Amino acid sequence: MTKKKKQRFEVGEHETIAECLARMEKAGYVPIRRMEKPVFEEKSIGGNKEYAPVRQQIVFEGQLK
């Protein structure tokens, strides 16, 4: 079975960045890119919808060693 040349690894909600990088290393990948995007929550205040940032989602793209 062959592995993908590139794969994405998402940092879990209760996982540190170091733990995610260790998981990548164990799977045989090296990080080549870090991407961050905000996660929003919809709140309804007085009939108006507002979006508030809740947390930051971090995803690493790894390349096969």
Side-chain angles (χ1 to χ4, degrees):
M1 184 172 138
T2 61
K3 289 187 177 181
K4 295 180 184 179
K5 289 186 179 184
K6 288 185 182 179
Q7 186 173 344
R8 291 186 177 184
F9 294 86
E10 183 178 337
V11 177
E13 196 168 326
H14 299 291
E15 181 182 34
T16 65
I17 293 173
E19 291 171 343
C20 181
L21 292 174
R23 184 167 42 98
M24 284 180 70
E25 179 74 29
K26 187 176 179 183
Y29 289 88
V30 177
I32 58 171
R33 185 188 327 178
R34 174 183 170 156
M35 299 169 278
E36 295 184 19
K37 63 180 185 179
V39 177
F40 292 97
E41 181 179 81
E42 184 179 302
K43 294 182 180 181
S44 194
I45 300 174
N48 295 332
K49 291 183 182 178
E50 292 187 14
Y51 298 96
V54 178
R55 63 181 179 92
Q56 201 70 358
Q57 181 183 21
I58 302 171
V59 178
F60 287 99
E61 187 173 311
Q63 185 175 20
L64 192 60
K65 287 185 181 178

